[in-house]
């Protein structure tokens, strides 16, 4: 590999003692990050590789480059990869092997075809060119295959393939041309820290001080993170693919081809074929650590394990029966518990960043991921909403090796299975449960898993199958969720929301600290509750939560289950250093029971001596009331659009309080209800969900939440300047509600919005409204010239659903109780 190192421009001298940034790992993501960080204007960048560049996973990657993902921004990253790879050879003089051959994906079942049609619509939503093909048209593009069982296909003409080592060589050369110093055979032995910050590394050649340390260590990233006390949940898994000799008559311009129903993929390579796949029974590797000296190393071929994939490949491409086989490559790659890669600033340690866990699409991702990571490092915050790959989506469950291993193997096994709507992981469960788990299970609860918590999604009645049966239409739980929805609207229901992340902010300067990081006004007297966002410098919404003032020096914060790590990290990073205010995680101290519905007050008053009348306990207040002998923080707030309270109960008293509420509620036909009813209820009220409808890319003004921002007060807060600047301009996008009356249509999110026949956006979320009796979707309408009320009202709208356009109606404001009279009753 001497020639390769020379092409990449590795420095042969000893590394310096000081650097502005140290990047650990000389695979494609490390080299891409170095390349892009130099182009952000940074100097004194050092890249350290333990052995030789590409010697980990990069050298044996298959090199397929697809662009489409379910997130617009992650798709943008992959599109940047394509654009970068197309110009990199001319820029650096280093060959890349890039070939924009297009990408073909087959469907062999009706369900798979629906999935592909929905993916095609998603591609159009995000601006990617895509074609939906018949089986014959697919065969015309890929004449070497049989298509007797093919239902249809989709084709993305801008997808392609690359030589991973050559692409990395070009990135390394480009990085070195921009001043990056690259050192091979220089293993990092420790991460040096001081007062909660990374300050450098120790290597076999000595210590290096630095402002920033970046962990791009590939399969070693978990161990590198552990050196610094940073959790990087990934697991190495064996992955095999076959390389053939020349196949006579095989066209050299074949697109890459994925056949997910047969679990296999193909690409053409110098007149032969590369064929691999994702078996349902993956084999983990290096459970006890990666062996010393493992570099440019492959594992022994496992023909027995590969045979089922080979049988599928022979049925699809008969030419394989007579093709000579060069090699069956078995190279381990790192995978994560949810199948997405890991990017961003580690929440456990300041100035320590991670780019790892690329789940067999590292070559496709590396160009864009390296750019995003570099811009994150340079600016101190992500350049866009990267939540699907943000390291902060993980937390305490993922620190558990058994949890991470089991869930990762399940994610690998699902790599090519149909991605059903609302599908739940089945492994590593139950991991964390509420005190009510057994009671709810006995009541027919069908649980989902979120951030390691078991949460009731819906409740099955006697005679109903208490299990999800997947569908792209109305699933088996549709009617059950409708029952729960109607119970909330008409009577009263109880939700177990114990999994909420809960924090205290305490200290004499708690008010001043939260006044800076909250967009809403938290200066109200004790006993007040404020719904607020926390904004970044661009005015984007980083957190969406409630803040209750319990005392002059103490606030109680409640946020979503999955955002525990993210929101804690955001708050801790942005509390002013001169404030006496500390953040305390109290999630485990309180169970949360949400009592919702027009009869909620009757039930609550029956179990407490405290006055819960509207006069004594109005909306937006918090009080401590006694229920079943327990002191309960009662928050008068709702996410379902009805009168109700969140009851935050000491964990030890959860069952007794639950039993008291259910007993008192029997007179009002109280029901247990789950998270899928919450989704339907909140859509009718157009309540926003962070991670889909709102996030770091969207401001409160664009999201219709400007009323929650304290702009009238002359009070500085993080993001204020951006919001004030936007307030004086015409908004280029606005979140709006759409309805589709046709009950045969199912809205899931990412359906394309058309106004007067032109594409203007896509749905961020969708579902069925049982009270209003229609499909509901939320989505941003976009127009560079401004989106005012007249623009919205004068348009004729359609939604593209699985490649078919259906008429839609636009609604400004919520469909249900638009004046919010019911929640304030």
């Amino acid at each position: 590999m001497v020639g390769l190192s020379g092409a990449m421009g590795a420095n042969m001298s000893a590394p310096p003692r000081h650097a502005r940034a140290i990047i650990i790992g000389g695979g494609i993501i490390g080299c891409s990050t170095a390349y892009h960080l130099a182009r952000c204007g940074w100097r004194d960048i050092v890249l350290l590789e333990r052995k030789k560049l590409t010697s980990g996973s990069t050298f044996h990657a298959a090199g397929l480059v697809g662009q489409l993902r379910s997130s617009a921004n992650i798709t943008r990253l992959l599109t940047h990869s394509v654009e970068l790879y197309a110009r990199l050879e001319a820029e650096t003089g280093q060959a890349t092997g890039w070939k924009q051959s297009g990408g073909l994906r087959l469907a062999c079942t009706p369900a798979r075809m629906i999935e592909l049609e929905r993916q095609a619509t998603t591609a159009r939503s995000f601006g990617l060119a895509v074609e939906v093909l018949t089986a014959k048209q697919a065969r015309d593009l890929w004449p070497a295959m049989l298509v007797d069982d093919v239902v249809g296909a989709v084709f993305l003409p801008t997808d392609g393939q690359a030589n991973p080592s050559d692409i990395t060589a070009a990135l390394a050369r480009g990085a070195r041309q921009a001043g990056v110093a690259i050192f091979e055979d220089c293993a990092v032995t420790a991460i040096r820290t001081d007062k909660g910050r990374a300050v450098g590394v120790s290597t076999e050649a000595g210590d290096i001080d630095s402002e920033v340390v970046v962990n791009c260590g590939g399969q070693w990233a978990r161990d590198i993170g552990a050196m610094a006390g940073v959790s990087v949940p990934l697991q190495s898994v064996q992955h095999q693919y076959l390389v053939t000799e020349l196949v006579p008559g095989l066209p050299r311009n074949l697109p890459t081809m994925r056949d997910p129903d047969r679990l296999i993929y193909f690409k053409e390579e110098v007149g032969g074929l590369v064929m691999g796949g994702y078996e349902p029974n993956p084999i983990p590797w290096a459970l006890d650590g990666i062996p010393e000296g493992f570099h440019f190393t492959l594992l022994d071929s496992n023909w027995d394990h590969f045979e089922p994939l080979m049988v599928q490949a022979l049925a699809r491409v008969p030419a394989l029966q007579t093709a000579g086989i060069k090699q069956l490559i078995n190279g381990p790659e790192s995978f994560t518990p949810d199948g997405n890669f890991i990017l961003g600033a580690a929440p456990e340690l300041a100035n320590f960043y991670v780019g790892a866990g690329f789940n067999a699409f590292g070559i496709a991702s590396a160009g864009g991921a390296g750019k995003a990571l570099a811009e994150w490092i340079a600016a101190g915050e992500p350049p866009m909403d990267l939540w699907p790959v943000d390291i902060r989506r993980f937390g305490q469950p993922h620190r558990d090796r058994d949890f991470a291993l089991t869930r990762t193997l399940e994610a690998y096994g699902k790599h090519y299975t149909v991605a059903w709507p609302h599908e739940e992981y089945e492994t590593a469960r139950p991991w964390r449960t509420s005190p009510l788990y057994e009671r709810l299970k006995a009541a027919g609860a069908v649980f989902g898993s979120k951030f390691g918590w078991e949460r009731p999604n819906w409740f099955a009645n006697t005679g109903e199958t208490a299990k999800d049966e997947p569908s792209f239409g109305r699933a088996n739980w549709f009617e059950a969720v409708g029952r729960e929805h109607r119970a909330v609207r008409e009577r009263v229901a109880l939700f177990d929301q114990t999994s909420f992340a809960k924090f205290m902010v305490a200290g004499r300067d708690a008010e001043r600290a939260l006044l800076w990081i909250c967009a809403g006004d938290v200066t109200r007297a004790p006993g007040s509750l404020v719904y607020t966002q926390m904004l970044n410098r661009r005015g984007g919404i980083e957190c969406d939560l409630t803040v209750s003032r319990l005392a002059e020096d103490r606030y109680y914060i409640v946020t979503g289950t999955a955002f525990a790590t993210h929101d804690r990290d955001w708050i801790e990073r942005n509390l002013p250093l001169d404030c006496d205010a500390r953040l305390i995680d109290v999630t485990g101290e309180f169970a949360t029971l949400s009592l919702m519905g027009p009869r909620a007050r009757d039930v609550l008053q029956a179990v407490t001596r405290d006055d819960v009348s509207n006069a004594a306990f109005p909306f937006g207040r918090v009080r401590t009331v006694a229920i079943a002998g327990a002191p309960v923080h009662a928050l008068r707030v709702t996410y379902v659009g009805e009168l109700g309270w969140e009851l935050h109960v000491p964990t030890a008293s959860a069952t007794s309080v639950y039993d008291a509420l259910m007993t008192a509620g029997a007179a009002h036909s109280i029901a247990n209800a789950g998270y899928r009813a919450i989704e339907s209820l909140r859509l009718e009220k157009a309540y926003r969900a962070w991670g889909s409808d709102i996030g770091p890319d969207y401001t409160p003004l664009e999201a219709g939440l400007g009323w929650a921002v304290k702009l009238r007060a002359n009070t500085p807060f993080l993001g204020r300047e951006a919001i004030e600047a936007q307030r004086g301009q015409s908004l280029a996008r606005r979140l709006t509600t759409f309805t589709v009356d046709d009950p045969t249509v199912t809205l899931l999110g990412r359906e394309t919005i058309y106004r007067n026949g032109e594409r203007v956006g896509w749905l961020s979320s969708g579902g069925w409204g049982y009270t209003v009796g229609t499909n509901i979707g939320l989505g941003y309408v976009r127009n560079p010239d401004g989106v005012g009320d007249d623009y919205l009202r004068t348009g004729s709208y359609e939604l593209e659903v699985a490649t078919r356009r259906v008429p839609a109606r636009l609604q400004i404001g919520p469909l249900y109780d638009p004046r919010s009279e019911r929640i304030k009753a």
Side-chain angles (χ1 to χ4, degrees):
M1 304 304 294
V2 175
L4 180 63
S5 297
M8 293 183 175
N11 293 347
M12 304 307 294
S13 59
R17 291 291 171 254
H18 301 276
R20 189 175 184 190
I22 297 171
I23 298 168
I24 305 170
I28 190 168
I29 182 63
C31 291
S32 178
T33 303
Y35 170 92
H36 286 99
L37 190 56
R39 277 154 181 74
C40 288
W42 277 43
R43 296 295 177 262
D44 300 321
I45 302 167
V46 170
L47 186 148
L48 305 175
E49 165 53 44
R50 59 185 293 276
K51 293 298 181 181
K52 301 297 182 184
L53 300 185
T54 78
S55 65
S57 298
T58 299
F59 84 96
H60 61 71
L64 282 69
V65 179
Q67 299 168 82
L68 180 61
R69 293 295 182 270
S70 58
S71 158
N73 283 351
I74 306 308
T75 297
R76 283 174 60 189
L77 297 190
L78 273 64
T79 299
H80 175 75
S81 293
V82 167
E83 295 168 351
L84 174 66
Y85 299 165
R87 69 170 190 266
L88 202 54
E89 182 172 345
E91 177 185 314
T92 65
Q94 168 67 44
T96 62
W98 169 248
K99 182 165 62 173
Q100 190 165 296
S101 53
L104 184 66
R105 187 174 288 250
L106 308 181
C108 301
T109 67
R112 179 72 71 180
M113 194 63 215
I114 293 172
E115 180 189 42
L116 292 192
E117 289 169 343
R118 285 190 171 273
Q119 289 175 346
T121 289
T122 298
R124 290 170 183 161
S125 292
F126 300 164
L128 286 178
V130 62
E131 303 169 24
V132 179
L133 307 178
T134 65
K136 180 183 181 301
Q137 290 171 322
R139 190 177 185 278
D140 290 343
L141 285 175
W142 230 91
M145 69 173 171
L146 298 179
V147 294
D148 294 348
D149 63 334
V150 173
V151 176
V154 296
F155 178 64
L156 276 77
T158 57
D159 282 357
Q161 61 190 72
N163 182 300
S165 293
D166 287 348
I167 285 281
T168 308
L171 288 167
R173 177 173 286 182
R176 190 170 185 272
Q177 289 170 348
V180 175
I182 298 175
F183 297 90
E184 296 180 307
D185 298 308
C186 188
V188 170
T189 57
I191 307 298
R192 298 171 52 240
T193 65
D194 180 52
K195 298 178 181 178
R197 311 177 75 83
V199 296
V201 302
S202 296
T203 78
E204 296 168 337
D207 291 348
I208 310 174
D209 298 331
S210 69
E211 297 177 18
V212 168
V213 177
V214 190
N215 177 6
C216 296
Q219 296 182 91
W220 291 263
R222 185 181 66 198
D223 296 336
I224 294 168
M227 293 179 186
V230 171
S231 174
V232 184
L234 53 82
Q235 173 61 50
S236 295
V237 180
Q238 296 186 30
H239 182 72
Q240 298 191 105
Y241 64 84
L242 187 76
V243 183
T244 76
E245 302 282 0
L246 184 74
V247 177
L250 189 74
R252 296 294 184 99
N253 62 343
L254 286 180
T256 62
M257 191 260 280
R258 296 166 178 85
D259 187 355
D261 288 310
R262 293 183 180 271
L263 308 179
I264 53 178
Y265 62 81
F266 296 86
K267 77 165 185 174
E268 180 274 331
E269 188 172 277
V270 292
L273 285 173
V274 169
M275 184 281 291
Y278 294 90
E279 60 276 17
N281 56 337
I283 302 175
W285 181 72
L287 293 175
D288 297 321
I290 299 174
E292 187 66 29
F294 190 85
H295 61 284
F296 286 127
T297 306
L298 297 173
L299 307 180
D300 292 339
S301 299
N302 189 336
W303 284 100
D304 289 341
H305 199 246
F306 193 72
E307 182 180 5
L309 297 180
M310 192 67 194
V311 170
Q312 297 294 333
L314 289 169
R316 178 63 68 217
V317 183
L320 285 174
Q321 296 175 11
T322 57
I325 297 174
K326 283 184 179 179
Q327 191 177 11
L328 178 62
I329 292 175
N330 186 358
E333 301 185 33
S334 57
F335 288 76
T336 65
D338 64 1
N340 280 326
F341 56 87
I342 300 172
L343 213 65
E348 302 95 332
L349 183 67
N351 297 341
F352 189 85
Y353 292 80
V354 179
F358 281 86
N359 303 280
F361 58 97
I363 308 307
S365 307
K371 180 176 187 288
L373 186 56
E375 291 174 351
W376 194 330
I377 294 164
E381 62 183 31
M384 64 184 85
D385 181 5
L386 296 171
W387 177 242
V389 299
D390 193 317
I391 191 172
R392 294 170 295 178
R393 74 189 188 274
F394 296 126
Q396 191 59 40
H398 309 92
R399 289 179 172 273
D400 184 279
R401 286 292 305 276
D402 291 334
F403 181 100
L405 168 64
T406 307
R407 188 60 64 82
T408 297
L409 294 180
E410 183 182 4
Y412 180 105
K414 288 183 173 180
H415 195 85
Y416 271 172
T417 60
V418 173
W420 296 103
H422 313 290
E423 185 176 18
E424 294 280 351
Y425 283 102
E426 298 178 358
T427 59
R429 297 178 58 183
W431 190 82
R432 191 173 186 183
T433 60
S434 127
L436 304 175
Y437 178 75
E438 293 299 336
R439 275 173 167 75
L440 300 180
K441 186 176 180 180
V446 180
F447 292 94
S449 176
K450 177 76 75 172
F451 209 68
W453 285 92
E454 292 294 309
R455 311 192 311 172
N457 280 335
W458 60 282
F459 288 80
N461 276 353
T462 302
E464 294 178 333
T465 302
K467 183 179 180 181
D468 286 354
E469 296 174 2
S471 172
F472 283 106
R474 291 190 173 181
N476 66 310
W477 42 263
F478 182 85
E479 293 299 333
V481 172
R483 288 195 304 265
E484 297 166 24
H485 177 114
R486 287 185 286 273
V488 177
R489 289 280 184 255
E490 299 167 8
R491 306 186 310 276
V492 62
L494 195 59
F495 299 88
D496 180 7
Q497 297 191 278
T498 297
S499 63
F500 274 157
K502 299 170 280 280
F503 305 99
M504 290 284 188
V505 174
R508 66 175 181 272
D509 297 322
E511 177 185 291
R512 182 161 65 91
L514 287 175
L515 198 60
W516 167 249
I517 61 176
C518 292
D521 184 5
V522 297
T523 62
R524 301 173 190 179
S528 299
L529 180 151
V530 175
Y531 164 66
T532 184
Q533 292 79 44
M534 295 178 178
L535 310 181
N536 56 38
R537 288 179 295 177
R538 304 187 307 274
I541 300 171
E542 289 287 348
C543 308
D544 182 67
L545 37 73
T546 60
V547 178
S548 299
R549 191 166 199 172
L550 303 184
E552 289 293 336
D553 62 350
R554 188 158 47 97
Y555 289 82
Y556 185 62
I557 295 177
V558 182
T559 189
T561 303
F563 314 137
T565 305
H566 174 278
D567 287 9
R568 176 173 185 161
D569 178 70
W570 181 262
I571 294 169
E572 288 183 331
R573 287 179 185 269
N574 290 285
L575 286 173
L577 295 177
D578 64 346
C579 284
D580 174 32
R582 59 194 178 278
L583 184 72
I584 308 164
D585 189 336
V586 296
T587 300
E589 297 181 22
F590 297 96
T592 304
L593 302 176
S594 294
L595 182 71
M596 298 289 158
R599 301 274 73 84
R601 179 177 288 115
D602 299 330
V603 176
L604 185 57
Q605 192 64 80
V607 297
T608 183
R609 293 181 180 276
D610 295 277
D611 186 357
V612 295
S613 66
N614 195 47
F617 200 155
F619 184 77
R621 300 287 291 176
V622 56
R623 287 176 53 190
T624 300
V625 301
I627 304 175
V632 175
H633 294 314
L635 283 60
R636 181 132 181 234
V637 67
T638 183
Y639 191 55
V640 298
E642 297 292 343
L643 168 69
W645 285 264
E646 281 180 18
L647 304 174
H648 293 254
V649 184
T651 301
S653 301
T655 54
S656 58
V657 171
Y658 172 83
D659 290 344
L661 291 167
M662 292 301 287
T663 299
H668 306 283
S669 300
I670 194 170
N672 287 301
Y675 274 83
R676 290 189 181 146
I678 292 175
E679 181 68 7
S680 171
L681 291 157
R682 72 98 181 171
L683 284 172
E684 290 187 337
K685 283 291 293 177
Y687 288 152
R688 283 68 165 149
W690 196 92
S692 53
D693 309 312
I694 55 178
D697 289 347
Y698 301 103
T699 71
L701 300 182
E702 294 166 336
L705 297 172
W707 55 268
V709 181
K710 56 177 181 282
L711 285 177
R712 292 183 181 179
N714 188 26
T715 305
F717 61 88
L718 183 58
R720 176 169 189 137
E721 291 80 4
I723 298 299
E724 286 184 327
Q726 189 180 58
R727 187 170 58 163
Q729 301 175 357
S730 178
L731 295 175
R733 57 188 177 186
R734 284 177 58 185
L735 187 67
T736 312
T737 301
F738 293 89
T739 60
V740 174
D741 293 332
D742 185 350
T744 66
V745 170
T746 301
L747 300 182
L748 300 173
R750 296 183 298 279
E751 292 84 0
T752 315
I753 303 168
Y754 287 90
R755 178 186 180 274
N756 297 340
E758 295 184 1
R759 179 170 57 86
V760 293
W762 62 87
L763 297 188
S764 51
S765 57
W768 181 260
Y770 293 87
T771 301
V772 298
T774 190
N775 289 288
I776 306 170
L778 302 182
Y780 287 87
V781 173
R782 293 161 164 82
N783 178 29
D785 296 326
V787 181
D789 285 355
D790 288 343
Y791 179 86
L792 291 173
R793 290 193 175 104
T794 57
S796 175
Y797 292 92
E798 296 173 299
L799 299 178
E800 182 181 312
V801 183
T803 73
R804 298 167 183 82
R805 293 195 192 183
V806 298
R809 288 182 287 112
L810 178 142
Q811 168 86 12
I812 297 178
L815 294 162
Y816 178 78
D817 188 24
R819 291 194 293 272
S820 295
E821 295 170 337
R822 295 175 70 88
I823 67 174
K824 298 176 182 177

